[in-house]
Structures are given as C-alpha cells and as structure tokens.
Amino acid sequence: MARVACRYGLTAPELSGYLCGLPSPLSIDDRGPAAGQTKVWAQFCGVDPNRLYRLSLNWRYPRRTRAWYMSRGPEWKPSTLTGSTPVCLGCFAADQSAGRDGYLRSGWVLAERCICSVHGELLLDRCQSCHRHLVVAFRLLEGRAQPVCGSCGSILADRGGVRDRLHDQNLMLSTLAIQQRITASVDRGYPEQQRFEEALAILWAPLDHPAAARPVLALWLKEAGWRCPYDVRHAVGAAAPLGQLPVRWRLVTLLALNDCFGTELAGNGEMPPLAVQLVRRAAPRQCRLPRPGRRPHVQALKRSPAEYERLAMQIIADPRWIAAEKLFRRKREGVRALLIDAALAGNLAGAHGPTLLSQSSNGEEIQI
C-alpha cells in the first residue's frame, strides 16, 4: 500500500481515505484489514482481493495474538505514515541492489524479533540521522519506492560500515536460536508458548513490591544502583512486555531468558536456581483498578434547562460559594466543583459537608 501511495505523493492512510471518499486519512490495520478496505484497494490496483488479503498478518500468522506483535510504548505517538516497525538496513540494501522497490518484511513486527535472520544485524528502531523513533515512509526516487525516515527524510540504506552487526558470533547465534524457538512455539501452537509468556512476565515483573519501578531483570544485570530507563519503564508489570520494548532491550530480555530459565523451559516444575530466585523476588501481579478521582462519580441525569437553572441559583446563593469569592482562583474552582457535584447528587440543600479552613488573598482565614 505504501509503495503504491508514494507514487501519488501520499501516504497509505491518506490514499486509503481518498479511495473510500473520505476527506481525512483512514487507518490501516496490518493485522486484520477491513474487508471493504481490502476490496477497494484490490480494485484500484487491479489485483485479486484474496491475494491482497493473504499479505495480512492474520493470514501469515493465524495463531498469533496481538500481544505477540510489536506495539508502541506510551511515548510513541500514532502516526499517519507507514508504520513504526524496526527495520534491517541490509535487507533494504538488498532491495536496492536488485533494482526493486524497498518493502517492509512481515517478520520485523514479531515481538521476539530483534536480529535479522538473514544478515545477523540488530534491527534498527531509531533513525541514524535524527536519532528519533524510526517511522518508515516511502519516497519515489529514481523510479523506485525507497524507504526513508518519516521525521528527517534520510534514506534508509546501507552506508558502508555503519551497520549494527553483533561482533560476538556466539551471542548472535544464541539470540537467533531463542528467537526461532519462540517463533515456532507461538506460530505452531506448541505448549511451550505459555511458559515463554510466564517467564517473560517474571523478568519484567516489579521487583519485591507491586509499585516498584525496577523489574526483576535488575537482579540478572547485577549492576549496583541500576535504575530502569525511562523508555522501558512502561513495560514493568506488563503481562506481555516483549513487544513493548525497544530492540536493544528485547535482545537483553532474550539473553536473560535463556540464561535464567535454560534452553528447555521444562514444564515439570523443575527450574534452575537462578530462575527460582527471580520468581521469589517477583511481586505478585495486581489487577489494575481505575484510580479513584478526587470527586465522587455522579450519575449523569437528563434534566430540563429549568432544572439546571434552579440548581445554578442554589449554588450561587449557597454560603460556601459566597465565602469562596475571597479565595484564590484555584481554590475557588475546587469549591465550585464540590458544590456542582453536591447539587447534581441532590445533596446541596441542608448538607454543608466538612468544614474547611482556607486563606484568602489578604491573609484572613475563611470557614467553608
């Protein structure tokens, strides 16, 4: 879709919105695209709709849940460009050498993928020019669709020596091996998949306390005073942390998984001593409940304009609102909010609530 759209100087969401007759970009779900959207694109491109649908992630990986795909962290803002997937510059260089359009590989969005299985390089999730989170766009250059950074526009290609290859071959091979094991377990429905999920959740569980910002992984790192970096703090306590991590932290997590839990992840209750220690230090996972607000929840009721006018007159005449006129603006707004809540709940008349002592701008204490 992006390769077609770039020939019109558009992004894929922009062209998709145009084809559907909408004035704004239309989001595209690579995992399971809408049938109507696939049909419109197939008609526009002159291809079979079933052939186009077979490019979707649901078709290629039918057993995968959404948690086993890469997802943005909270600081990654949604974009109308092609997508914020890690890429391999070696693969893009191969496209250019073959004289064809560059394209995004579906394997790059898998949660466990951090090393290219063809070139043995770390996937790139930050632009080497502007160092921002990489969002891939396509531009028509020399008659071919070539991938560029959506932020600064620099071409994503091999620059002769800047490629991020792992120099330790044993490290690369062990990481590739565990990548392949996870892929086989998830895509083929092996029983080992659940044990992978539990082990990964333990590694990124809060250390010792449910509200801790440090994950259990800190015990494996063995660095005194280590603090969890800001860009991965959102993964602490997540049920499926792997897809939320940047590439380098995904690599660290896979190495820790292999070192702590072993190569087999035996399901007979026997775990290596290090894994037992991590499990004991992992805080129990808590059910995330909505945080209580400062004001009680008030059920919204449909009232007539006359009823709202009556409530407003009640608030204006209330002694607490009259006394609040001498307060600072922020405190006055707080009193107003409390009075509105009380009025909507029917508790305004005769219910003065707790006594509050506040200070006015001239230093006098006012009882509310």
Side-chain angles (χ1 to χ4, degrees):
M1 291 179 170
R3 294 198 302 271
V4 172
C6 80
R7 285 167 165 78
Y8 296 89
L10 300 172
T11 64
E14 289 171 347
L15 183 55
S16 189
Y18 174 81
L19 296 179
C20 295
L22 299 176
S24 58
L26 190 63
S27 61
I28 300 170
D29 186 1
D30 291 334
R31 185 171 175 264
Q37 192 178 59
T38 306
K39 183 178 179 181
V40 169
W41 273 87
Q43 182 180 2
F44 176 77
C45 298
V47 297
D48 181 16
N50 291 330
R51 179 185 176 191
L52 186 58
Y53 182 76
R54 286 195 293 269
L55 297 175
S56 66
L57 296 176
N58 268 355
W59 179 272
R60 297 187 180 197
Y61 310 102
R63 295 180 180 272
R64 278 193 179 245
T65 60
R66 192 173 291 273
W68 280 102
Y69 290 110
M70 195 209 70
S71 60
R72 295 183 179 98
E75 75 280 359
W76 290 39
K77 297 180 180 179
S79 174
T80 56
L81 299 175
T82 301
S84 52
T85 61
V87 301
C88 171
L89 297 186
C91 292
F92 283 151
D95 295 335
Q96 191 172 10
S97 300
R100 60 171 178 255
D101 289 346
Y103 68 96
L104 300 173
R105 276 65 170 172
S106 63
W108 291 343
V109 299
L110 305 185
E112 71 275 9
R113 193 64 59 89
C114 58
I115 295 181
C116 175
S117 56
V118 178
H119 300 96
E121 300 175 11
L122 275 177
L123 299 183
L124 190 71
D125 57 3
R126 284 187 178 271
C127 176
Q128 292 184 331
S129 297
C130 65
H131 305 291
R132 296 180 181 176
H133 285 295
L134 183 60
V135 179
V136 181
F138 283 88
R139 298 289 182 267
L140 191 62
L141 302 170
E142 300 176 357
R144 295 191 303 271
Q146 297 189 29
V148 300
C149 171
S151 299
C152 66
S154 61
I155 299 177
L156 302 175
D158 179 22
R159 300 182 180 180
V162 236
R163 290 154 74 170
D164 207 354
R165 181 180 295 275
L166 287 176
H167 299 288
D168 190 334
Q169 292 298 311
N170 293 330
L171 185 66
M172 182 193 72
L173 293 175
S174 63
T175 308
L176 283 174
I178 194 169
Q179 273 188 187
Q180 293 168 357
R181 283 171 44 222
I182 295 177
T183 301
S185 298
V186 176
D187 292 340
R188 299 175 189 173
Y190 290 171
E192 195 181 22
Q193 174 186 345
Q194 184 179 358
R195 296 195 288 272
F196 274 122
E197 293 175 348
E198 293 173 355
L200 291 167
I202 288 171
L203 286 174
W204 282 94
L207 181 60
D208 294 331
H209 190 275
R214 297 178 68 193
V216 175
L217 187 69
L219 298 178
W220 180 78
L221 293 173
K222 298 178 181 178
E223 291 186 15
W226 180 82
R227 294 179 179 269
C228 187
Y230 175 77
D231 58 343
V232 295
R233 197 168 294 176
H234 62 274
V236 179
L242 199 59
Q244 302 182 27
L245 297 170
V247 168
R248 292 180 180 274
W249 278 102
R250 224 178 297 177
L251 172 68
V252 171
T253 304
L254 292 185
L255 293 174
L257 178 72
N258 191 43
D259 187 30
C260 297
F261 291 90
T263 57
E264 299 299 329
L265 264 78
N268 54 8
E270 297 180 2
M271 287 192 298
L274 181 55
V276 173
Q277 180 190 1
L278 298 185
V279 172
R280 289 175 178 171
R281 298 290 299 274
R285 192 180 303 169
Q286 291 185 336
C287 180
R288 300 197 177 192
L289 299 176
R291 296 179 60 186
R294 290 186 177 179
R295 293 176 289 174
H297 174 71
V298 179
Q299 179 72 23
L301 300 175
K302 292 184 178 180
R303 295 180 171 89
S304 64
E307 178 73 9
Y308 280 117
E309 184 178 358
R310 184 184 66 80
L311 294 175
M313 295 303 295
Q314 267 189 327
I315 294 173
I316 293 175
D318 192 282
R320 289 170 289 180
W321 176 245
I322 297 173
E325 291 183 358
K326 298 181 180 180
L327 297 178
F328 291 109
R329 177 181 175 185
R330 184 174 179 182
K331 291 185 177 180
R332 203 167 80 222
E333 289 178 351
V335 173
R336 181 180 62 187
L338 291 173
L339 293 175
I340 290 173
D341 284 345
L344 293 175
N347 299 327
L348 188 61
H352 295 291
T355 299
L356 303 178
L357 290 177
S358 299
Q359 202 171 46
S360 66
S361 56
N362 57 7
E364 298 178 358
E365 282 191 345
I366 301 175
Q367 179 174 299
I368 301 178

